[in-house]
Every structure is written in structure tokens, then in C-alpha cells.
Amino acid sequence: MPIARIDLVEGKSAEYRRTIADVVYDQMSKHLGVPEDRFQVITEHKIENFLYDPDYLGIYRSENCVFIQLSFIAGATTEQKAAFFKAVVDELHEKLYLRREDVFFHLFGVGTADWSMGNGVGTYNNGVPTNRLDPNSVPASPDGSK
């Protein structure tokens, strides 16, 4: 149920973009305790519409900068998030030679009431199933009907 938004300057190959998506997916499943379902959006921008501070906090970013935003049910610890950040930048550097300085993250930990997976129904209004993978274990409506 997490959703990932990946933004970058246009011009990279489909394989390059898919590699970023695959790395983010694999590492968020591994480090953030999120279920292994996949909802991702990759958006390319013209360079003039992709604005970033090239040296904020003394970290020098290039036009290859990638923004990664994740929304997921709150609960990951600071240590889990740090491990996720490091694993993603290390793997992107290894696979795509993407500079670690060029990967910018923003995580949103949200409540269970913030999700509707379809049908206009608050998917987790009755709580999140222990395994969070079986949609049949969560009633689709408050009265338990599907």
C-alpha cells in the first residue's frame, strides 16, 4: 500500500527509470516494513521545471538529481529510515552510477484512515491486518460487508 513518486529531469532511458523504481521498491520492502505491493509513479520534467537548490546544506546536486517521495502507514523507526536511505543511494550508485548527493528523499508517514485502495472506501478504517497483504482480511465497509 505504499505509494512512491519519483521525479527526475527528462531524457533518461526507460531502463534507467525502471531501475530507480525497482531499487526503491526492493529497499522499502526490505527496510521500512511495508507490504510487497507496488504503486509507483515516475514523472520526468523539463530541466526548466525541475527546481532544486544545487548546494543546500553543502550537498552539491547536479541536474541528475532525483526526488523520491514515499507515503506509507507511519511506524518506521528513525533507524529503519536511515537504513532505507543508505541502501537506496548505495544501490543506485552501484547500478546507475548516480551520485549519492543527487538522491533526495521525502517520506510521509500517514495514518490508516488516509488510505482508500478503491471503491471510495477507507480501506483500513477497521485496522490494518497483521500481514497487511491480504485485502480480504480487511472489511471493505464498516459493517463488514464487501
Side-chain angles (χ1 to χ4, degrees):
M1 100 217 60
I3 184 165
R5 295 193 53 88
I6 300 165
D7 293 90
L8 66 160
V9 172
E10 68 183 357
K12 300 296 185 190
S13 70
E15 180 182 351
Y16 184 96
R17 295 188 312 269
R18 181 59 188 240
T19 298
I20 295 172
D22 289 346
V23 168
V24 169
Y25 172 77
D26 292 344
Q27 297 302 336
M28 72 181 182
S29 297
K30 190 179 296 182
H31 292 285
L32 298 177
V34 298
E36 293 182 5
D37 50 20
R38 192 167 193 156
F39 297 94
Q40 295 179 304
V41 177
I42 302 170
T43 306
E44 293 182 280
H45 304 272
K46 292 185 179 303
I47 187 69
E48 62 267 20
N49 295 326
F50 193 78
L51 307 176
Y52 59 93
D53 189 320
D55 61 2
Y56 181 67
L57 297 177
I59 300 170
Y60 300 97
R61 293 165 196 85
S62 75
E63 65 183 28
N64 291 315
C65 187
V66 175
F67 296 162
I68 299 170
Q69 296 182 355
L70 300 180
S71 294
F72 57 100
I73 293 176
T77 66
T78 300
E79 294 78 15
Q80 287 173 304
K81 292 173 187 177
F84 167 74
F85 297 149
K86 181 160 179 21
V88 170
V89 298
D90 286 349
E91 191 170 349
L92 290 176
H93 180 72
E94 177 186 320
K95 290 184 172 181
L96 299 174
Y97 306 105
L98 182 60
R99 295 172 63 244
R100 290 172 175 88
E101 299 89 341
D102 284 333
V103 183
F104 182 98
F105 295 94
H106 186 201
L107 305 184
F108 298 95
V110 300
T112 56
D114 296 320
W115 295 94
S116 174
M117 299 310 226
N119 298 318
V121 174
T123 303
Y124 300 114
N125 287 349
N126 294 319
V128 179
T130 302
N131 65 9
R132 298 187 311 175
L133 297 175
D134 180 6
N136 295 319
S137 67
V138 181
S141 65
D143 67 1
S145 63
K146 300 279 178 191

